[in-house]
Amino acid sequence: MSNPGDSAIEHPARLDINHVSAGYGNIQILKELTFQVPHGGQVAVVGPNGAGKSTLFRVLVGLLPLKRGNIFIHGLPLGHHQDCVAYVPQRGDVDWKFPVTVRDVVMMGRYGKIGWMSRPSKQDQEIVAESIHQLGISKFINKPIGELSGGQQQRVFLARAIAQQPHILLMDEPFTGVDIGTQETALNLLEELHKQGVTVMVSTHDLNMAAERFKLVLLLNRTMIAFGPPSDVLTPEKIRTAFGGKVLFINGAVVVDECCPPADQDNSGA
Amino acid sequence: MSAALLQIRIIREHSQMVSLLLSPLSYSFMQRGMAAAILVGILCSIVGCYVVLRSMAFLGDAVAHAILPGVAIAYLLNSSLTTGALIAAILVALGIGILTRQGNIKEDTAIGILFTAALALGVALISTIRTYAMDLSHILFGNILGVTQGDLWLTAALSVVVLGAIVILYRPFLIISFDPILAATLRLRISLLNNLLMILLAITIVIALQTVGIGLVAAMLVTPPATAFLLTRRLVPMMFLSAMIGVFSSVAGLYFSFYWNIASGAAIVLTATLVFVLVFLFAPHRGLIWQKIQKRSAL
């Protein structure tokens, strides 16, 4: 596989983030973020609770205005593209009692193309069915989302993101609290997306997974600690800077102690 | 007469039942009241689905109470009470949005401040009117039998507007309610749509004032949709079932009110509540008793 530097020469950076600062009200959460993700790049976003991982994603989908700096997607400023960024929310951010079925949720991924009133086309129906099939949840297509297991619920939102056919896919903690099978499905999906040239950013607590499965890592704690290949970014020194005293190194493995996380500022302001 | 006796009589004498149902309708005030009750039943129950799913019950109640000063000012100026109520409701609904937008004040706090202030202003204004107690009770508890032909036309026209908006904006409203982040990636105008939904809610509340009054509007917005929620698994069926429950409660409540001489708004709300309790206990899968049985058979 080529390293990200090579593909950046062939294509302009998909995602270009310059001196970005953002937050809620007067509280600034992200300070002076600058990095570029190349075409088809896959980035693990790593940092402690409240580091601003979700905030960064909310900025990227346009839910939270920038306080300073700018973001370019394909060289155009944020907001000039309709529907090219897909977002897989944290499981805790979804109202699972909402009366919608698996098919309803995945079809929402097509709404940007279908519009407000028209019926979904045959092509839309096929894309939805294919996405559902790809994630292995065809059995549950007419089930309300509240009746699924955690892993199945995660797959529904992954299927929706695929149905959206995005250029950039953001996944907020997709590996937290799901079964191994779903984790594997999600990781295989990442490889598939890489072949299709989709740019992906995944936030995760799991430093070991970030090191093993991603070629780029963004280490974040309010401000950017480091960005680059895991071997450069995930050094004991830099991890300690990001996580403070909450990190232990045991025989080469990294353990983050977050048994008593502080109130998650990423969510409280949303 | 007790409900059981009434029921036996209904079964025994079919013709008597028909006259029982039809005789109230020989009065034109009952015809208009019935038409208004049906329209309100449909409208509240459908708009109420969003109120229930978005946890806006407190907001609906607050907007209803905040209407009082608008009605009072309209009364003092001798202009249309409905117009006054509509303006007040929309102002308060949008005001709550503005207070919470910059994030320093939580929504329920903003609602608490605004609606009590508006209610106090309303009471202050109405207390300057001499026939205070009489007018206030009509506003607070509804006066369905006082619905005029003009009220009915206005109610019908506003119902068409609100239901039309709910149909046309079904997908945007679904998305901003279920997943605001998806709404942002689709570049939907989220705050505009939220404000629009608030305005539709305000119009619905004003229409419902005639039948159930300020004090009981929240019940019409919440009880039928909550009942339908227990019985359905998708939004559109939930809306239809909710509307059916709303219409049934309104019509049945009005008959109870006619024969037992109780306040119509209270009769309608109590009927809706009874339906809710029955469903809460006996609904398949989600009902209390069903779940108890399931738990026992699992043991």
Side-chain angles (χ1 to χ4, degrees):
Chain A
M1 293 244 182
S2 63
N3 80 50
D6 295 340
S7 51
I9 299 164
E10 294 160 29
H11 302 276
R14 279 252 157 129
L15 193 55
D16 199 339
I17 288 164
N18 292 314
H19 304 288
V20 162
S21 299
Y24 303 95
N26 292 325
I27 303 156
Q28 195 170 39
I29 292 183
L30 294 174
K31 293 185 197 92
E32 279 290 315
L33 238 55
T34 299
F35 62 92
Q36 286 89 35
V37 184
H39 182 89
Q42 301 199 331
V43 184
V45 183
V46 180
N49 280 325
K53 300 185 294 273
S54 298
T55 307
L56 173 62
F57 287 179
R58 293 205 157 107
V59 167
L60 288 172
V61 298
L63 201 65
L64 200 64
L66 300 180
K67 288 201 190 297
R68 214 170 303 131
N70 43 46
I71 295 174
F72 293 99
I73 297 174
H74 291 298
L76 283 171
L78 195 67
H80 276 246
H81 306 270
Q82 201 184 18
D83 193 25
C84 82
V85 181
Y87 181 93
V88 179
Q90 268 185 47
R91 287 215 318 115
D93 288 348
V94 177
D95 176 6
W96 297 106
K97 290 195 161 177
F98 207 92
V100 281
T101 62
V102 170
R103 188 204 301 271
D104 293 336
V105 173
V106 179
M107 187 57 87
M108 286 176 198
R110 303 299 303 163
Y111 280 3
K113 274 109 187 164
I114 303 170
W116 288 7
M117 290 289 286
S118 27
R119 284 177 159 275
S121 69
K122 202 165 184 194
Q123 194 202 0
D124 293 317
Q125 304 272 19
E126 278 164 12
I127 292 169
V128 166
E130 173 56 32
S131 309
I132 289 174
H133 177 73
Q134 204 178 336
L135 270 299
I137 44 173
S138 303
K139 261 196 289 181
F140 314 112
I141 195 159
N142 290 318
K143 269 208 167 194
I145 54 169
E147 292 179 13
L148 305 178
S149 73
Q152 291 159 355
Q153 289 175 336
Q154 189 70 60
R155 289 165 192 240
V156 174
F157 279 84
L158 288 170
R160 185 180 77 180
I162 305 301
Q164 228 170 313
Q165 298 180 325
H167 299 168
I168 297 172
L169 175 59
L170 309 173
M171 299 158 89
D172 205 352
E173 298 282 354
F175 307 119
T176 306
V178 300
D179 53 291
I180 303 287
T182 301
Q183 275 198 23
E184 269 315 307
T185 310
L187 286 167
N188 293 338
L189 190 67
L190 285 180
E191 274 167 31
E192 183 63 31
L193 290 169
H194 179 73
K195 285 181 206 148
Q196 294 170 15
V198 177
T199 306
V200 181
M201 291 182 82
V202 180
S203 75
T204 176
H205 276 90
D206 190 339
L207 294 178
N208 301 309
M209 184 189 286
E212 284 163 21
R213 308 295 291 247
F214 291 85
K215 288 187 205 70
L216 285 169
V217 175
L218 171 67
L219 193 57
L220 192 70
N221 191 356
R222 299 303 182 97
T223 173
M224 194 172 98
I225 310 287
F227 176 73
S231 54
D232 296 355
V233 173
L234 296 176
T235 62
E237 194 187 328
K238 284 172 181 157
I239 291 172
R240 226 173 254 126
T241 311
F243 285 86
K246 286 181 292 188
V247 62
L248 302 166
F249 298 92
I250 304 166
N251 298 333
V254 192
V255 179
V256 178
D257 171 23
E258 289 205 295
C259 71
C260 317
D264 194 339
Q265 274 149 339
D266 281 14
N267 293 328
S268 64
Chain B
M1 191 190 308
S2 78
L5 271 178
L6 185 69
Q7 199 130 27
I8 289 164
R9 271 184 55 186
I10 288 170
I11 293 164
R12 265 200 207 139
E13 294 177 49
H14 178 76
S15 65
Q16 203 168 348
M17 187 189 82
V18 171
S19 81
L20 207 67
L21 292 178
L22 287 184
S23 67
L25 294 177
S26 58
Y27 303 98
S28 65
F29 69 85
M30 272 301 280
Q31 288 170 10
R32 287 196 299 271
M34 195 62 85
I38 290 171
L39 282 173
V40 168
I42 294 172
L43 198 59
C44 278
S45 307
I46 289 177
V47 173
C49 287
Y50 284 115
V51 173
V52 166
L53 293 175
R54 295 167 59 111
S55 310
M56 301 197 302
F58 183 42
L59 179 80
D61 201 23
V63 170
H65 284 80
I67 280 168
L68 205 55
V71 176
I73 291 169
Y75 189 91
L76 289 171
L77 296 176
N78 229 344
S79 60
S80 153
L81 297 190
T82 308
T83 315
L86 207 52
I87 292 170
I90 291 172
L91 283 180
V92 170
L94 297 180
I96 291 165
I98 291 166
L99 261 190
T100 49
R101 192 149 309 147
Q102 96 267 39
N104 286 332
I105 299 176
K106 280 193 177 175
E107 195 179 27
D108 59 339
T109 310
I111 293 169
I113 293 169
L114 261 178
F115 106 80
T116 46
L119 187 63
L121 179 64
V123 172
L125 287 168
I126 288 178
S127 64
T128 65
I129 305 168
R130 220 172 285 154
T131 54
Y132 164 59
M134 181 62 196
D135 293 317
L136 191 61
S137 84
H138 280 174
I139 296 165
L140 285 179
F141 301 115
N143 182 20
I144 197 168
L145 302 182
V147 171
T148 65
Q149 198 65 43
D151 292 337
L152 202 52
W153 280 118
L154 187 65
T155 300
L158 289 174
S159 301
V160 169
V161 169
V162 173
L163 292 178
I166 295 280
V167 171
I168 292 168
L169 297 173
Y170 173 77
R171 277 179 199 155
F173 282 156
L174 170 66
I175 291 190
I176 60 164
S177 304
F178 175 63
D179 191 346
I181 298 175
L182 179 67
T185 70
L186 295 177
R187 304 270 169 250
L188 290 177
R189 306 275 301 274
I190 299 174
S191 56
L192 185 75
L193 286 163
N194 275 329
N195 285 339
L196 198 60
L197 196 58
M198 292 287 254
I199 290 170
L200 297 178
L201 178 62
I203 296 173
T204 304
I205 288 169
V206 170
I207 291 172
L209 284 187
Q210 312 167 43
T211 62
V212 288
I214 284 172
L216 297 175
V217 165
M220 288 309 287
L221 285 171
V222 172
T223 310
T227 312
F229 178 77
L230 292 172
L231 294 168
T232 53
R233 284 141 180 239
R234 297 183 77 192
L235 184 52
V236 173
M238 178 179 164
M239 286 176 162
F240 275 103
L241 189 64
S242 177
M244 281 162 61
I245 294 166
V247 168
F248 170 78
S249 307
S250 299
V251 172
L254 206 52
Y255 279 113
F256 292 142
S257 156
F258 183 85
Y259 283 109
W260 298 342
N261 204 19
I262 51 179
S264 53
I268 291 170
V269 170
L270 288 175
T271 310
T273 311
L274 183 66
V275 176
F276 172 78
V277 170
L278 290 176
V279 169
F280 183 76
L281 291 176
F282 299 111
H285 301 292
R286 292 181 202 173
L288 203 62
I289 288 172
W290 180 288
Q291 283 182 352
K292 281 261 159 71
I293 290 169
Q294 288 252 304
K295 221 174 261 174
R296 190 161 297 174
S297 64
L299 282 176

